[in-house]
Amino acid sequence: MAPELQEMLDSKTRVKLAHNTLMMEQILGESADIVRRDLQCGGTDGVPGVLYFVDGLVDERQLEEGILRPLVGLNDASFLRNVEADDQTVIDRLLIHSSISAVDTYQKAVESLLSGDAVLWLDQYASAFVISVRGGDKRSIEEPQTESILRGPRDGFTEHIRTNTALIRRRIKDPSLRIESIIIGERTRTDVNIAYIADLVKPGLVKEVYKRLQRIEIDAVLESGYIEELIEDAPLSPFPTLLGTERPDRVAAGLLEGRLAVLVDNTPFVLLMPTYFWEFFHASDDYYMRYIAGSFFRLIRYLALFISLTLSSLYVLLVSFHQEMIPTQLALTIAAGRESVPFPVLVEVLVMETAFELMREAGIRMPKPVGQAASIVGSLVIGQAAVQAGIVSPIMVIIIAISGISSFVIPNFSASFSIRLMRIPLIIASGTLGLLGFLIVLFMMSVHLLSLRSFGEPYLAPSVPFRPNDQKDSLFRFPWWSMKTRPQMAQSADRQGNNQRPQKPSHQSAGAEDGTS
Amino acid sequence: MKWISARYVARIAPFILSVFLTGCFGQEDINNLAMVMAVGIDEGKRPGTVLVTAQIARPSDAVGQTGAPVGGTGKPIWTAAAEGRSIFEAMRNLDRFSSRRVYWGHNKIIVLSAAVARHGVNDAIDFFTRNHELRMRTWVMVTPKSASEIVASKTGLQVIPGDSVDRLFHYSAYTSEAPPVDMRTFQATFLNPTSQAVLPRVDIVQRGMPATHKEEFGTSPQVELSRAAYFIGNHMVGWMTIPETRGALWFLGHETSREMVLHCPDSSGKWTTLEMRTSHFVITPHLLNGKVSFVIHLRADFDLVEADCPSVSSNLVLTHALEMEARIKLREELLSAIHLSQRTGSDFLRLGERVEDRYPAEWRTLRDHWPQTLSRAEFLIHVKSSIRSPVLLAVPTRPGSVSKEVIK
Amino acid sequence: MGKDVRVQITSGMFTALIVNLVYPKAIGLTQGIMERQAGGDFWLATIFAILQGGLVLLLTVWVVNRLPNRSLAEQADVVLGKWIGKVIHLSLFVFFVGAFGASAISFVYHLMDYFLPDIPIYVFVLAILVVTVYALFHGLEVISRMAIVGVFSILMLNILLLIGSLKDFDVSQLLPVLQSGFTHTLWVSRQHDTDWAVPVAITGLILPYVSKPKEWRSSALVGAFFGGVTVLMWPMLEAGVLSPQETGQYIVACMQMARSAEIGHFIHRYEMIMVAFFGISLLVQLMLCLFGASLSAAKLIGLKDYRPAIVPVALLVGIAAYLLVLDHNWAIIWLADWWPWLAVPVGFGLPILVGLLSLIRYKKIKQLAASGSVAQNA
């Protein structure tokens, strides 16, 4: 920012209206969307004033009803000229509005104006009056696009941060739910909110998050991805250490487990921290469906993790190094299918993986109707024509398809991408060094995962380090009545009362005829 | 500063790794392998050489069309043979004219010719257990014909002959005329200081085929699995008969679901058949004054599965008589195996091991002249048999009206 | 990984470390060697060695517990004086180099002989070095966590093997016992003692980093018990399924065992899956051997942190491992005839020596213990 601009912003406001408006116009320059409305409070002999607002950011009805009408329609403005009148008089008597404040620097006035408030300057008053009439158009609450579930709430976060905090607040009516605000971005001045439940979150975590957020010096924050990259523990790791979600129920559940959420204005993706690796494989309807179904789906997803990470490299390994492992009948089938394939297995796998990624990317980037057509054509070409032409073997198509589908099973797309990315080194190592390469890359990957931490929590907990108490919600989802305590991450352990398991109603006591039960 | 260097090393480690990822050591795609399904070992033409015959599968012909159209030959297997001074050399000689690398990882059977087996199996065991490519569950067998003939022969149901012999072994429990011996068991008994090895015998038989529907029955000779060969040390000594083999199977621990065909109790000369369901075999050695004796308890439960005895009216009568007969027959089988072992001095019934387990201290003196001790050993055999179930029928099948011949 | 954060190993991790350290070499190479020396009694020798190893492990815990802030070698420094301390660091260093070599022999012979005969040995050794160095730079805590993964894979491996081979198990093969005589069997158990020397030596080094000294003894006991049981399963199965003679026939007996296993008729030769699990625990063992070597080298030279020593020590250890692995015959002779003479005196001798001396110089220990706790509080 230019120093002279900064100087202007920092300077104190004065009593002269003309000076103030001049300063405002110098700071803001000519912008089509910034509206200046001159007015007279209380008729011809009233107090002159100027109202600034940004067209499109304010709620016009509120502006008209709540500010312009009382100001212009004022009959007697003499109390404003009273010697004893001060800012509080204006706030108390002139402006009847739910949220109003007086500020005394241009910095604050301009910032409020650009955030969607109306700024009123009155002659002979040194303060600017900031009236919150934020509004304008915003997207209504819709079902999240990225995390579809079968059972559970259908609302998702929007781009509007207040809507988002409201969605959380509506779920947790706990007085100790705190939502604190911080502004990040030199130029964008983006609202970033930190939500947590004061008596559940571990002491120190809030401070640590604040510390990391305040460290950020950046001109713009356009999405929570900016924040994620600037505060995460392992910036070089391919694995995400923060969970981004569009689902308010997920965030609420996280807060209740003692996590902390960071909301960023203008994006529906909210960051949850600390995050365990396994959480990327949990979906929120694990908790809403009956626990047996929920546990089963979880197992399926862990299987999908394994398949998507290793299946193609295991295939390479077996077919080009350890053929004795394949049952004879299958070995013959694979060999027969590869009879006319001109490439080595390693090349074949890499080509097919690339083709698959191309199709996936095309499906996302193209407009929806076209995207579907693209993937149908692509899969037909690869699945049928390429095999018939003898360029790829049919088994390979099956392998790629299964591992591709498995990676779509992983509910969190950023985790799904990292897993997909990690299989490339595995494939290359398996194709060149066989079992040794596979083992070594997998081992190094595990060491890397084990060395990660997310805001002080070991990334692979509760498996490694093993936390017996947290096992009820990791591999399986235990029934709600058995999850008596919160995860170890939370400060307070008690979650529910004793004996929450539904009992068969006892007829003796229900009858209560003799009362000797 | 230390930390900078530490992290630096940790970070470049993957790149160091990738440097030696550039070579492909020993990588060979599966379609470039000639997968051996069965191998036969004969004596070569020149003395002191071996002839190795390998049956190699042609994948696209063996499994049918799976991918792009490939020129098929219509013949699922290709048999190649080569000679050499050692088995390894012979196998390498196979590579000389095989367009693909000969690969042994999927080999299912090893056939030794009787000549090789009589000459000594030490080399074969050494080679096949030393090599990492070979499976340890490969079946081993001896043939009186030449091994290459067995390996090259075709069979009925399976496309690949090696596969069909493999299945013969898996279902050998239903005939129980040959002990299933895989390489690992063969090696273990071979290395054992007292016990002697047994190998199943395969042969080629011409199945009877009617003049019509010739191709339905298979025109070519078929591989048959029956009886066994027994060894002393390195060398094969002789063949067992079917009763001897069946008797020996009890000792070798291959409980089976065998059938037993017995005479009808009514002296009509017709046959009934029993199928064994469960059995229990216990042998305990006893040592008294340097004299070894064995007590054998055998219990077998049968089902009556077929009876062609028109004059017997009741299942009870039938089963009672048959139980007796079965007992005698089982006893005869056991004795025939024991007598063979005693006569030849080959402890293929693994009796010495049982003595050693029970009397480890005395064994040290016994082991030096074990064959002689064994030939003098006494056997006390208790056989129990019961026929528990006549399966579905409550009374035996008989004609409703008595036929005229019987009235006469 | 903050600089100032003291490494803390939980007692669960400590248990896992012991299991990982004793298991991998013991099931493979040791069993074959012991069979060749003791015949059918090799499984009994294993039991003897497990008892001895467990005992020395407990002794180590007891000795370290007297001065819980100092490792065994550092206690020797204090009790015996600086120069003898140097000798002890040196002997520990040599010991760990040898242990690394022994584990490297296991690793290479498992993978190379049975799976990848065409890959040159130097690639194996380089691969081991890269992985262990990479892991070591992440610190002891990460290695200890990896040990938990290792225990999981040991369990999987044992279960897989049990499923695949129990049907061929013949109890009578375990008999007769003590054919070679009690004393001889006891003497042969030194071969498996070498495997126990590694966890004992590592315990002596890392025990001060383990949290909650009160739980040390029970976690060591659990580790020794669990390690013993998982190891013992192998000689029992090897004797009962393969027969003792066949076990002795092979360099890597457990691979012969693994490749004979089959589940049904369809899945044979799933030994690759087993070896993948085995490799994880073996790599944990290798990492800790390198850790021990680097730490002793750092102490020998007088460095505060072991990290600068890692790369030079890794190179040295790598060369030693390469030379050991190069020739199968020599490797087996070295393992059977030479290695016990180094491993058992250093691994078992050190805790016994320090224990005895600390009994003699009881007063000084007490003083130090008192001042040590004061220093820690301050």
Side-chain angles (χ1 to χ4, degrees), chain B residues 142-210:
Chain B
V142 187
T143 176
K145 303 262 171 43
S146 78
S148 63
E149 208 178 321
I150 301 279
V151 166
S153 65
K154 296 212 175 82
T155 46
L157 289 172
Q158 250 51 46
V159 182
I160 299 164
D163 196 28
S164 89
V165 177
D166 177 47
R167 279 159 199 257
L168 265 182
F169 273 104
H170 285 315
Y171 302 113
S172 73
Y174 290 114
T175 56
S176 77
E177 284 184 5
V181 179
D182 59 20
M183 198 65 217
R184 199 189 53 69
T185 354
F186 186 43
Q187 183 196 15
T189 38
F190 184 79
L191 294 175
N192 191 295
T194 57
S195 302
Q196 308 299 344
V198 174
L199 282 185
R201 172 183 183 273
V202 279
D203 202 351
I204 292 181
V205 286
Q206 216 70 27
R207 313 299 309 188
M209 35 183 153

Side-chain angles (χ1 to χ4, degrees), chain A residues 325 439-440 443 450-451 453 464, chain C residues 127 131 138 145-146 269 276:
Chain A
M325 267 286 294
L439 200 61
I440 276 174
F443 195 85
L450 285 173
S451 70
R453 277 174 179 276
V464 185
Chain C
V131 175
H138 282 91
R145 288 194 204 155
M146 201 66 211
R269 304 216 64 174

Side-chain angles (χ1 to χ4, degrees), chain A residues 97-354:
Chain A
H97 203 272
S98 54
S99 166
I100 178 166
S101 61
V103 298
D104 58 355
T105 62
Y106 295 105
Q107 166 91 50
K108 286 176 185 160
V110 166
E111 201 173 301
S112 309
L113 173 67
L114 295 180
S115 306
D117 293 336
V119 174
L120 175 70
W121 297 95
L122 289 175
D123 196 23
Q124 301 305 317
Y125 282 88
S127 302
F129 297 97
V130 174
I131 311 145
S132 173
V133 283
R134 289 187 195 188
D137 297 326
K138 57 191 180 200
R139 191 163 65 92
S140 58
I141 295 172
E142 286 165 19
E143 191 172 354
Q145 295 279 319
T146 54
E147 292 161 272
S148 310
I149 58 168
L150 283 174
R151 174 172 176 174
R154 300 270 176 238
D155 54 352
F157 286 125
T158 69
E159 285 74 11
H160 190 239
I161 192 165
R162 277 297 144 254
T163 314
N164 295 352
T165 51
L167 284 172
I168 297 172
R169 184 68 82 173
R170 196 170 293 155
R171 284 180 165 78
I172 308 172
K173 299 180 188 75
D174 182 348
S176 33
L177 169 63
R178 303 271 187 276
I179 295 175
E180 290 171 10
S181 177
I182 179 171
I183 285 175
I184 298 175
E186 217 61 45
R187 285 181 190 280
T188 57
R189 314 294 298 160
T190 311
D191 261 328
V192 173
N193 285 9
I194 301 165
Y196 60 92
I197 298 177
D199 52 358
L200 288 185
V201 71
K202 265 217 177 125
L205 179 61
V206 180
K207 230 166 103 188
E208 174 67 25
V209 173
Y210 256 107
K211 209 175 86 191
R212 293 195 195 182
L213 285 174
Q214 274 159 351
R215 225 200 82 239
I216 299 175
E217 285 172 22
I218 192 169
D219 63 336
V221 174
L222 295 181
E223 215 275 338
S224 49
Y226 286 50
I227 302 284
E228 182 177 345
E229 287 192 16
L230 287 164
I231 63 172
E232 65 187 342
D233 290 67
L236 295 178
S237 168
F239 296 97
T241 47
L242 296 178
L243 180 83
T245 178
E246 270 189 282
R247 300 198 63 89
D249 53 330
R250 187 112 200 234
V251 172
L255 295 179
L256 287 167
E257 289 183 342
R259 280 174 231 273
L260 193 141
V262 169
L263 297 92
V264 177
D265 202 6
N266 299 322
T267 175
F269 285 93
V270 173
L271 304 174
L272 264 180
M273 62 208 69
T275 303
Y276 300 136
F277 178 67
W278 310 113
E279 240 146 275
F280 295 103
F281 306 95
H282 296 175
S284 41
D285 54 355
D286 289 354
Y287 298 98
Y288 308 145
M289 305 251 240
R290 292 188 25 81
Y291 65 96
I292 297 176
S295 305
F296 176 66
F297 295 153
R298 260 190 201 179
L299 282 184
I300 292 287
R301 274 184 239 123
Y302 289 130
L303 182 71
L305 159 70
F306 178 76
I307 291 178
S308 128
L309 187 64
T310 59
L311 184 67
S312 34
S313 44
L314 281 178
Y315 177 75
V316 174
L317 186 84
L318 289 177
V319 170
S320 54
F321 281 94
H322 308 297
Q323 298 91 352
E324 73 273 6
M325 267 286 294
I326 313 173
T328 308
Q329 214 60 42
L330 185 60
L332 287 173
T333 309
I334 293 174
R338 281 193 51 78
E339 202 76 54
S340 60
V341 178
F343 312 115
V345 182
L346 179 59
V347 176
E348 198 190 358
V349 166
L350 290 177
V351 166
M352 286 296 287
E353 287 280 3
T354 315

Side-chain angles (χ1 to χ4, degrees), chain C residues 246-266:
Chain C
E246 196 180 337
T247 309
Q249 193 86 350
Y250 285 88
I251 295 175
V252 186
C254 70
M255 270 314 292
Q256 178 63 11
M257 181 80 213
R259 76 180 179 136
S260 310
E262 63 175 354
I263 303 176
H265 292 320
F266 185 66

